Coordinates of all heavy atoms in Angstrom, one line a residue:
M157 N 0.9 -1.2 0.0 CA 0.0 0.0 0.0 C 0.9 1.2 0.0 O 1.9 1.3 0.7 CB -0.9 0.0 1.2 CG -2.0 1.0 1.2 SD -3.1 0.9 2.6 CE -3.8 -0.7 2.3
K158 N 0.5 2.2 -0.8 CA 1.3 3.5 -0.9 C 1.3 4.3 0.4 O 0.3 4.2 1.1 CB 0.8 4.3 -2.0 CG 1.0 3.7 -3.4 CD 0.8 4.7 -4.5 CE -0.6 5.1 -4.6 NZ -0.9 6.0 -5.8
L159 N 2.3 5.0 0.7 CA 2.4 5.8 1.9 C 1.3 6.9 1.9 O 0.7 7.1 2.9 CB 3.8 6.5 1.9 CG 4.1 7.4 3.1 CD1 4.1 6.6 4.4 CD2 5.4 8.1 2.9
S160 N 1.0 7.4 0.7 CA -0.1 8.5 0.7 C -1.4 7.9 1.1 O -2.2 8.5 1.7 CB -0.1 9.1 -0.7 OG -0.4 8.1 -1.7
T161 N -1.7 6.6 0.7 CA -2.9 6.0 1.0 C -3.0 5.7 2.5 O -4.1 6.0 3.2 CB -3.1 4.6 0.3 OG1 -3.0 4.8 -1.1 CG2 -4.4 3.9 0.6
K162 N -1.9 5.3 3.1 CA -1.9 5.1 4.6 C -2.1 6.4 5.3 O -2.8 6.5 6.3 CB -0.5 4.5 5.0 CG -0.4 3.1 4.5 CD 1.0 2.6 4.8 CE 1.2 1.2 4.3 NZ 2.6 0.7 4.6
L163 N -1.5 7.5 4.8 CA -1.6 8.8 5.4 C -3.1 9.3 5.4 O -3.6 9.8 6.4 CB -0.7 9.8 4.8 CG -0.6 11.2 5.4 CD1 -0.2 11.1 6.9 CD2 0.3 12.1 4.7
I164 N -3.7 9.1 4.2 CA -5.1 9.5 4.1 C -6.0 8.7 5.1 O -6.9 9.3 5.7 CB -5.6 9.3 2.6 CG1 -4.9 10.3 1.7 CG2 -7.1 9.3 2.5 CD1 -5.1 10.0 0.2
A165 N -5.7 7.4 5.2 CA -6.5 6.6 6.1 C -6.3 7.1 7.6 O -7.3 7.3 8.3 CB -6.1 5.2 6.0
I166 N -5.1 7.4 7.9 CA -4.9 7.9 9.3 C -5.6 9.2 9.6 O -6.2 9.4 10.6 CB -3.3 8.0 9.6 CG1 -2.8 6.6 9.7 CG2 -3.0 8.9 10.8 CD1 -1.3 6.6 9.8
V167 N -5.4 10.2 8.6 CA -6.1 11.5 8.8 C -7.6 11.3 8.9 O -8.2 12.1 9.6 CB -5.7 12.4 7.6 CG1 -6.5 13.7 7.6 CG2 -4.2 12.7 7.7
G168 N -8.1 10.4 8.2 CA -9.6 10.2 8.2 C -10.1 9.4 9.4 O -11.2 9.8 10.0
I169 N -9.3 8.5 9.9 CA -9.9 7.6 10.9 C -9.5 8.0 12.3 O -10.2 7.8 13.3 CB -9.4 6.1 10.6 CG1 -10.1 5.7 9.3 CG2 -9.7 5.2 11.8 CD1 -9.6 4.3 8.8
L170 N -8.3 8.6 12.5 CA -7.9 8.9 13.9 C -8.8 9.9 14.6 O -9.1 9.7 15.8 CB -6.4 9.5 13.9 CG -5.3 8.5 13.8 CD1 -4.0 9.2 13.8 CD2 -5.4 7.5 15.0
P171 N -9.4 10.9 13.9 CA -10.3 11.7 14.6 C -11.6 11.0 15.1 O -12.1 11.3 16.2 CB -10.7 12.8 13.6 CG -9.5 12.9 12.7 CD -9.0 11.5 12.6
V172 N -12.0 10.0 14.3 CA -13.1 9.1 14.8 C -12.8 8.3 16.0 O -13.5 8.3 17.0 CB -13.6 8.2 13.6 CG1 -14.7 7.3 14.1 CG2 -14.1 9.0 12.4
L173 N -11.6 7.8 16.0 CA -11.1 7.0 17.2 C -11.0 8.0 18.4 O -11.3 7.6 19.5 CB -9.8 6.3 16.9 CG -9.8 5.3 15.8 CD1 -8.4 4.7 15.6 CD2 -10.8 4.2 16.1
G174 N -10.6 9.2 18.1 CA -10.5 10.2 19.2 C -11.9 10.4 19.8 O -12.1 10.5 21.0
D175 N -12.9 10.5 18.9 CA -14.3 10.7 19.4 C -14.7 9.5 20.3 O -15.4 9.7 21.3 CB -15.3 10.8 18.2 CG -15.2 12.1 17.5 OD1 -14.5 13.1 18.0 OD2 -15.7 12.2 16.4
F176 N -14.3 8.3 19.9 CA -14.7 7.1 20.6 C -14.0 7.1 22.0 O -14.6 6.7 23.0 CB -14.3 5.8 19.9 CG -15.1 5.6 18.6 CD1 -14.6 4.6 17.7 CD2 -16.2 6.3 18.3 CE1 -15.3 4.4 16.5 CE2 -16.9 6.1 17.1 CZ -16.5 5.1 16.2
I177 N -12.7 7.5 22.0 CA -12.0 7.6 23.3 C -12.7 8.6 24.2 O -12.9 8.3 25.4 CB -10.6 8.1 23.1 CG1 -9.8 6.9 22.4 CG2 -9.9 8.5 24.4 CD1 -8.4 7.3 21.9
E178 N -13.1 9.8 23.7 CA -13.9 10.7 24.5 C -15.2 10.1 25.0 O -15.5 10.3 26.2 CB -14.2 12.0 23.7 CG -13.1 12.9 23.5 CD -13.5 14.2 22.8 OE1 -14.3 14.1 21.8 OE2 -13.0 15.2 23.1
D179 N -15.9 9.4 24.2 CA -17.1 8.8 24.6 C -16.9 7.8 25.8 O -17.6 7.7 26.7 CB -17.8 8.0 23.5 CG -18.3 9.0 22.4 OD1 -18.4 10.2 22.6 OD2 -18.6 8.5 21.3
L180 N -15.9 6.9 25.6 CA -15.6 6.0 26.6 C -15.1 6.6 27.9 O -15.4 6.2 29.0 CB -14.5 5.0 26.1 CG -15.0 4.0 25.0 CD1 -13.8 3.2 24.4 CD2 -16.1 3.1 25.5
N181 N -14.3 7.7 27.8 CA -14.0 8.5 29.0 C -15.2 9.0 29.7 O -15.3 8.9 30.9 CB -13.0 9.6 28.6 CG -11.6 9.3 28.6 OD1 -11.2 8.3 29.1 ND2 -10.8 10.1 27.9
D182 N -16.2 9.5 29.0 CA -17.4 10.0 29.6 C -18.2 8.9 30.3 O -18.9 9.2 31.2 CB -18.3 10.7 28.5 CG -17.7 12.0 28.0 OD1 -16.7 12.5 28.6 OD2 -18.1 12.5 26.9
E183 N -18.1 7.7 29.7 CA -18.8 6.6 30.3 C -18.1 6.0 31.5 O -18.6 5.0 32.1 CB -19.1 5.5 29.3 CG -20.0 6.0 28.1 CD -21.4 6.2 28.6 OE1 -21.9 5.5 29.5 OE2 -22.0 7.2 28.1
K184 N -16.9 6.5 31.8 CA -16.1 6.0 32.9 C -15.8 4.5 32.8 O -15.8 3.8 33.7 CB -16.8 6.3 34.2 CG -17.0 7.8 34.4 CD -17.5 8.2 35.8 CE -17.8 9.6 36.0 NZ -17.3 10.7 35.2
I185 N -15.4 4.1 31.6 CA -15.1 2.7 31.3 C -13.7 2.4 31.7 O -13.4 1.3 32.1 CB -15.2 2.5 29.7 CG1 -16.7 2.7 29.3 CG2 -14.7 1.1 29.3 CD1 -17.7 1.7 29.8
F186 N -12.8 3.4 31.6 CA -11.4 3.2 31.8 C -11.0 3.4 33.3 O -11.6 4.2 34.0 CB -10.5 4.2 31.0 CG -10.7 4.2 29.5 CD1 -10.9 5.3 28.8 CD2 -10.8 2.9 28.9 CE1 -11.0 5.3 27.4 CE2 -10.9 2.9 27.5 CZ -11.0 4.0 26.8
T187 N -9.9 2.6 33.7 CA -9.3 2.9 35.0 C -8.6 4.2 34.9 O -8.4 4.8 33.8 CB -8.3 1.8 35.3 OG1 -7.2 1.8 34.3 CG2 -8.9 0.4 35.3
K188 N -8.1 4.7 36.0 CA -7.5 6.0 36.0 C -6.2 6.0 35.1 O -6.0 6.9 34.4 CB -7.1 6.4 37.5 CG -6.5 7.8 37.6 CD -6.3 8.1 39.1 CE -5.7 9.5 39.2 NZ -5.5 9.9 40.6
A189 N -5.4 5.0 35.2 CA -4.2 4.9 34.4 C -4.5 4.8 32.9 O -3.8 5.5 32.1 CB -3.4 3.7 34.9
I190 N -5.5 4.0 32.6 CA -5.8 3.9 31.2 C -6.4 5.3 30.7 O -6.1 5.7 29.6 CB -6.8 2.8 30.9 CG1 -6.1 1.4 31.2 CG2 -7.3 2.8 29.5 CD1 -6.9 0.2 31.1
K191 N -7.2 5.9 31.5 CA -7.8 7.2 31.1 C -6.7 8.2 30.9 O -6.8 9.0 29.9 CB -8.8 7.7 32.2 CG -9.5 9.0 31.8 CD -10.5 9.4 32.9 CE -11.1 10.7 32.4 NZ -12.2 11.1 33.3
M192 N -5.7 8.2 31.7 CA -4.6 9.2 31.5 C -3.9 8.9 30.1 O -3.6 9.8 29.4 CB -3.6 9.1 32.6 CG -4.1 9.7 33.9 SD -3.0 9.4 35.3 CE -1.4 9.9 34.7
R193 N -3.7 7.6 29.8 CA -3.0 7.3 28.5 C -4.0 7.6 27.4 O -3.5 8.1 26.3 CB -2.6 5.8 28.5 CG -1.5 5.5 29.5 CD -1.1 4.1 29.4 NE 0.0 3.8 30.4 CZ -0.1 3.3 31.5 NH1 -1.3 2.8 32.0 NH2 1.0 3.1 32.3
A194 N -5.2 7.3 27.6 CA -6.2 7.6 26.5 C -6.3 9.1 26.2 O -6.4 9.6 25.1 CB -7.6 7.1 26.9
N195 N -6.3 9.9 27.3 CA -6.3 11.4 27.1 C -5.0 11.9 26.4 O -5.1 12.8 25.6 CB -6.4 12.1 28.5 CG -7.9 12.0 29.0 OD1 -8.8 11.9 28.2 ND2 -8.0 12.1 30.3
H196 N -3.9 11.3 26.7 CA -2.6 11.6 26.1 C -2.7 11.3 24.6 O -2.4 12.1 23.7 CB -1.5 10.9 26.7 CG -0.2 11.2 26.0 ND1 0.5 12.4 26.1 CD2 0.6 10.4 25.2 CE1 1.6 12.3 25.4 NE2 1.7 11.1 24.9
L197 N -3.2 10.1 24.3 CA -3.4 9.7 22.9 C -4.4 10.6 22.2 O -4.1 11.1 21.0 CB -4.0 8.3 22.8 CG -4.3 7.7 21.4 CD1 -3.1 7.8 20.5 CD2 -4.8 6.3 21.5
L198 N -5.5 11.0 22.8 CA -6.4 12.0 22.3 C -5.8 13.3 21.9 O -6.0 13.9 20.9 CB -7.6 12.1 23.2 CG -8.8 13.0 22.8 CD1 -9.4 12.5 21.5 CD2 -9.8 13.0 23.9
D199 N -4.9 13.8 22.9 CA -4.2 15.0 22.6 C -3.3 14.9 21.4 O -3.2 15.8 20.6 CB -3.4 15.4 23.8 CG -4.2 15.9 25.0 OD1 -5.4 16.3 24.8 OD2 -3.7 15.9 26.1
E200 N -2.6 13.8 21.3 CA -1.7 13.6 20.1 C -2.5 13.5 18.8 O -2.0 14.0 17.8 CB -0.9 12.3 20.4 CG 0.2 12.5 21.5 CD 1.1 13.6 21.2 OE1 1.6 13.8 20.1 OE2 1.4 14.4 22.2
I201 N -3.6 12.8 18.9 CA -4.5 12.7 17.7 C -4.9 14.1 17.2 O -4.8 14.5 16.0 CB -5.7 11.9 17.9 CG1 -5.3 10.4 18.0 CG2 -6.8 12.0 16.8 CD1 -6.4 9.5 18.5
R202 N -5.3 15.0 18.1 CA -5.7 16.3 17.8 C -4.6 17.1 17.2 O -4.7 17.9 16.3 CB -6.3 17.0 19.0 CG -7.7 16.4 19.3 CD -8.3 17.2 20.5 NE -9.6 16.6 20.8 CZ -10.1 16.5 22.0 NH1 -9.5 16.9 23.1 NH2 -11.4 16.0 22.2
K203 N -3.4 17.0 17.9 CA -2.2 17.7 17.4 C -1.9 17.3 16.0 O -1.6 18.1 15.1 CB -1.0 17.5 18.3 CG -1.1 18.3 19.6 CD 0.1 17.9 20.4 CE -0.1 18.3 21.9 NZ 1.1 17.9 22.7
S204 N -1.9 16.0 15.7 CA -1.5 15.5 14.4 C -2.5 15.9 13.4 O -2.2 16.3 12.3 CB -1.5 14.0 14.4 OG -0.4 13.5 15.3
D205 N -3.8 15.9 13.7 CA -4.8 16.3 12.8 C -4.7 17.7 12.4 O -4.7 18.1 11.3 CB -6.2 16.0 13.4 CG -7.4 16.1 12.5 OD1 -7.2 15.5 11.4 OD2 -8.4 16.8 12.8
K206 N -4.4 18.6 13.4 CA -4.2 20.0 13.2 C -3.0 20.3 12.3 O -3.1 21.0 11.4 CB -4.1 20.7 14.5 CG -4.0 22.2 14.4 CD -4.0 22.9 15.8 CE -3.8 24.4 15.8 NZ -3.9 25.1 14.6
R207 N -1.9 19.6 12.6 CA -0.7 19.8 11.9 C -0.8 19.3 10.4 O -0.4 20.0 9.5 CB 0.4 19.0 12.6 CG 1.8 19.3 12.0 CD 3.0 18.6 12.8 NE 2.8 17.2 13.1 CZ 2.5 16.7 14.3 NH1 2.4 17.5 15.3 NH2 2.4 15.4 14.4
L208 N -1.5 18.2 10.2 CA -1.7 17.7 8.9 C -2.7 18.5 8.0 O -2.5 18.6 6.8 CB -2.1 16.2 8.9 CG -1.0 15.3 9.4 CD1 -1.7 13.9 9.6 CD2 0.1 15.2 8.4
L209 N -3.7 19.1 8.7 CA -4.7 19.7 7.9 C -4.8 21.2 8.0 O -5.7 21.9 7.4 CB -6.1 19.1 8.4 CG -6.3 17.7 8.0 CD1 -7.6 17.1 8.6 CD2 -6.3 17.5 6.5
D210 N -3.9 21.8 8.8 CA -3.9 23.3 9.0 C -3.9 24.1 7.7 O -4.7 25.0 7.5 CB -2.7 23.8 9.8 CG -3.1 24.2 11.2 OD1 -4.3 24.2 11.5 OD2 -2.2 24.6 11.9
D211 N -3.1 23.7 6.7 CA -3.0 24.4 5.4 C -3.8 23.7 4.3 O -3.7 24.1 3.2 CB -1.6 24.5 5.0 CG -0.8 25.3 6.0 OD1 -1.3 26.2 6.6 OD2 0.4 25.0 6.2
A212 N -4.7 22.8 4.7 CA -5.4 22.0 3.6 C -6.5 22.9 3.1 O -7.1 23.7 3.7 CB -6.0 20.7 4.2
N213 N -6.8 22.6 1.8 CA -7.9 23.3 1.2 C -9.2 22.6 1.5 O -9.3 21.6 2.1 CB -7.7 23.5 -0.4 CG -7.6 22.1 -1.1 OD1 -8.3 21.2 -0.7 ND2 -6.8 22.0 -2.1
Q214 N -10.3 23.2 1.1 CA -11.7 22.7 1.4 C -11.9 21.3 0.9 O -12.5 20.5 1.5 CB -12.7 23.7 0.8 CG -14.1 23.3 1.3 CD -14.3 23.4 2.8 OE1 -13.8 24.4 3.4 NE2 -15.0 22.5 3.4
E215 N -11.3 21.0 -0.3 CA -11.5 19.7 -0.9 C -10.9 18.6 0.1 O -11.5 17.5 0.3 CB -10.9 19.6 -2.3 CG -11.1 18.2 -2.9 CD -10.4 18.1 -4.3 OE1 -10.1 19.2 -4.9 OE2 -10.3 17.0 -4.8
I216 N -9.7 18.9 0.6 CA -9.1 18.0 1.5 C -9.9 17.8 2.8 O -10.1 16.6 3.3 CB -7.7 18.4 1.9 CG1 -6.8 18.6 0.7 CG2 -7.1 17.5 3.0 CD1 -6.5 17.3 0.0
W217 N -10.5 18.9 3.3 CA -11.3 18.8 4.5 C -12.6 17.9 4.2 O -13.0 17.1 5.0 CB -11.8 20.2 4.9 CG -10.8 20.9 5.7 CD1 -9.9 21.8 5.3 CD2 -10.5 20.7 7.1 NE1 -9.1 22.2 6.3 CE2 -9.4 21.6 7.4 CE3 -11.0 20.0 8.1 CZ2 -8.9 21.7 8.7 CZ3 -10.5 20.1 9.4 CH2 -9.5 21.0 9.7
N218 N -13.1 18.1 3.0 CA -14.3 17.4 2.6 C -14.0 15.9 2.5 O -14.8 15.0 2.9 CB -14.9 17.9 1.3 CG -15.5 19.2 1.4 OD1 -15.8 19.7 2.5 ND2 -15.7 19.9 0.3
Q219 N -12.8 15.6 1.9 CA -12.4 14.2 1.8 C -12.2 13.5 3.2 O -12.6 12.4 3.4 CB -11.1 14.1 1.0 CG -11.3 14.4 -0.5 CD -10.0 14.4 -1.2 OE1 -8.9 14.3 -0.7 NE2 -10.1 14.5 -2.6
Q220 N -11.6 14.3 4.1 CA -11.5 13.8 5.4 C -12.8 13.4 6.1 O -13.0 12.4 6.7 CB -10.7 14.7 6.3 CG -10.5 14.1 7.7 CD -10.1 15.1 8.8 OE1 -10.6 16.2 8.8 NE2 -9.3 14.7 9.7
M221 N -13.8 14.3 5.9 CA -15.1 14.1 6.4 C -15.8 12.9 5.8 O -16.5 12.1 6.4 CB -16.0 15.3 6.3 CG -15.5 16.5 7.1 SD -15.3 16.2 8.9 CE -16.9 15.7 9.4
D222 N -15.6 12.7 4.5 CA -16.2 11.6 3.7 C -15.6 10.3 4.3 O -16.3 9.3 4.4 CB -15.9 11.7 2.2 CG -16.7 12.8 1.6 OD1 -17.7 13.3 2.2 OD2 -16.3 13.2 0.4
I223 N -14.3 10.3 4.5 CA -13.6 9.1 5.1 C -14.2 8.8 6.5 O -14.5 7.6 6.8 CB -12.1 9.2 5.2 CG1 -11.5 9.3 3.7 CG2 -11.5 8.1 6.0 CD1 -10.1 9.7 3.7
Q224 N -14.4 9.8 7.3 CA -14.9 9.6 8.6 C -16.3 9.1 8.6 O -16.7 8.1 9.3 CB -14.9 10.9 9.4 CG -13.5 11.4 9.8 CD -13.5 12.7 10.5 OE1 -14.5 13.1 11.0 NE2 -12.3 13.3 10.6
I225 N -17.1 9.6 7.7 CA -18.5 9.1 7.6 C -18.5 7.7 7.1 O -19.3 6.9 7.6 CB -19.3 10.1 6.7 CG1 -19.5 11.4 7.3 CG2 -20.6 9.4 6.3 CD1 -20.0 12.5 6.4
A226 N -17.7 7.4 6.1 CA -17.7 6.0 5.6 C -17.2 5.0 6.7 O -17.7 3.9 6.8 CB -16.7 6.0 4.4
F227 N -16.2 5.4 7.5 CA -15.7 4.5 8.5 C -16.8 4.3 9.6 O -17.0 3.2 10.0 CB -14.4 5.2 9.1 CG -13.8 4.3 10.2 CD1 -13.4 3.1 10.0 CD2 -13.7 4.8 11.5 CE1 -12.8 2.3 11.0 CE2 -13.1 4.1 12.5 CZ -12.6 2.8 12.3
R228 N -17.4 5.4 10.0 CA -18.5 5.2 11.0 C -19.6 4.3 10.4 O -20.2 3.5 11.1 CB -19.1 6.6 11.4 CG -18.2 7.4 12.2 CD -18.8 8.8 12.5 NE -17.9 9.6 13.2 CZ -17.8 9.7 14.6 NH1 -18.6 8.9 15.3 NH2 -16.9 10.5 15.2
Q229 N -20.0 4.5 9.1 CA -21.0 3.7 8.5 C -20.6 2.2 8.4 O -21.4 1.3 8.7 CB -21.4 4.2 7.1 CG -22.6 3.5 6.5 CD -23.8 3.7 7.4 OE1 -24.2 4.8 7.8 NE2 -24.5 2.6 7.7
W230 N -19.3 2.0 8.1 CA -18.8 0.6 8.0 C -18.9 0.0 9.4 O -19.3 -1.2 9.5 CB -17.4 0.7 7.5 CG -16.7 -0.7 7.5 CD1 -16.9 -1.7 6.6 CD2 -15.7 -1.2 8.5 NE1 -16.1 -2.8 6.9 CE2 -15.4 -2.5 8.0 CE3 -15.1 -0.6 9.6 CZ2 -14.4 -3.2 8.7 CZ3 -14.2 -1.4 10.3 CH2 -13.9 -2.7 9.9
L231 N -18.5 0.7 10.5 CA -18.6 0.1 11.8 C -20.1 -0.2 12.2 O -20.4 -1.2 12.8 CB -18.0 1.1 12.8 CG -16.5 1.2 12.8 CD1 -16.1 2.3 13.8 CD2 -15.9 -0.1 13.2
K232 N -21.0 0.7 11.8 CA -22.4 0.6 12.1 C -23.0 -0.6 11.4 O -23.7 -1.4 12.0 CB -23.2 1.9 11.7 CG -24.7 1.8 12.0 CD -25.0 1.8 13.5 CE -26.5 2.0 13.7 NZ -27.0 0.9 14.5
N233 N -22.6 -0.8 10.1 CA -23.0 -2.0 9.4 C -22.5 -3.2 10.0 O -23.3 -4.2 10.1 CB -22.6 -1.9 7.9 CG -23.3 -0.8 7.2 OD1 -24.4 -0.3 7.6 ND2 -22.8 -0.4 6.0
A234 N -21.3 -3.3 10.4 CA -20.7 -4.5 11.1 C -21.5 -4.8 12.4 O -21.7 -5.9 12.7 CB -19.2 -4.2 11.3
E235 N -21.8 -3.7 13.1 CA -22.5 -3.9 14.4 C -23.9 -4.5 14.1 O -24.4 -5.4 14.7 CB -22.6 -2.5 15.1 CG -23.3 -2.6 16.4 CD -23.4 -1.2 17.0 OE1 -24.0 -0.3 16.4 OE2 -22.9 -1.1 18.1
D236 N -24.6 -3.9 13.1 CA -25.9 -4.4 12.7 C -25.9 -5.8 12.2 O -26.8 -6.6 12.6 CB -26.5 -3.5 11.6 CG -26.9 -2.1 12.1 OD1 -26.8 -1.9 13.3 OD2 -27.1 -1.2 11.3
E237 N -24.9 -6.2 11.5 CA -24.8 -7.6 11.0 C -24.6 -8.6 12.2 O -25.1 -9.7 12.1 CB -23.6 -7.7 10.0 CG -23.9 -7.1 8.7 CD -22.7 -7.1 7.7 OE1 -21.7 -7.8 8.0 OE2 -22.8 -6.5 6.7
N238 N -23.8 -8.1 13.2 CA -23.6 -9.0 14.3 C -24.8 -9.1 15.3 O -24.9 -10.1 16.0 CB -22.4 -8.5 15.1 CG -21.1 -8.8 14.4 OD1 -20.9 -9.7 13.7 ND2 -20.1 -7.9 14.6
N239 N -25.7 -8.1 15.2 CA -26.9 -8.1 16.0 C -28.1 -8.7 15.3 O -29.1 -8.9 15.9 CB -27.2 -6.7 16.5 CG -26.2 -6.2 17.5 OD1 -25.5 -7.0 18.2 ND2 -26.0 -4.9 17.5
G240 N -28.0 -9.0 14.1 CA -29.2 -9.4 13.4 C -29.0 -10.6 12.5 O -29.6 -11.3 12.1

């Protein structure tokens, strides 16, 4: 797989994973030690996202959102298949 493809995937998926970490933190799922590490990871995801997309044009932002939506939909479909 090309490096650019991997980078696009990371830029699209990491913010979604960050959202999931926030949700789990809010639900008090994690122990204190894991929560600290999860918060550190969340901070790093946000920094990376900002650094990679700060100078991006609108088309890049739209592509990132499309990847995020597709990833969330893929997870939802997998969840639905496992429940039904």
Side-chain angles (χ1 to χ4, degrees):
M157 189 176 299
K158 293 192 295 186
L159 182 64
S160 59
T161 303
K162 292 176 183 179
L163 186 59
I164 289 168
I166 286 172
V167 169
I169 293 172
L170 279 180
V172 175
L173 297 178
D175 289 345
F176 294 167
I177 289 170
E178 282 184 322
D179 293 346
L180 292 172
N181 273 341
D182 291 344
E183 295 294 322
K184 303 189 185 332
I185 300 292
F186 299 137
T187 64
K188 185 176 181 178
I190 293 174
K191 183 175 180 175
M192 287 173 48
R193 290 181 180 104
N195 284 335
H196 178 71
L197 177 59
L198 186 56
D199 289 341
E200 291 301 317
I201 289 170
R202 288 182 178 146
K203 286 179 196 174
S204 296
D205 194 47
K206 182 175 176 16
R207 187 172 52 249
L208 291 169
L209 294 174
D210 250 1
D211 297 327
N213 62 34
Q214 188 63 43
E215 182 180 347
I216 299 296
W217 281 96
N218 291 342
Q219 289 174 355
Q220 183 197 34
M221 294 308 296
D222 290 345
I223 292 168
Q224 290 179 17
I225 291 167
F227 181 60
R228 287 176 186 273
Q229 189 60 50
W230 177 75
L231 288 174
K232 179 72 172 121
N233 289 344
E235 182 180 60
D236 291 348
E237 287 176 11
N238 288 329
N239 290 332

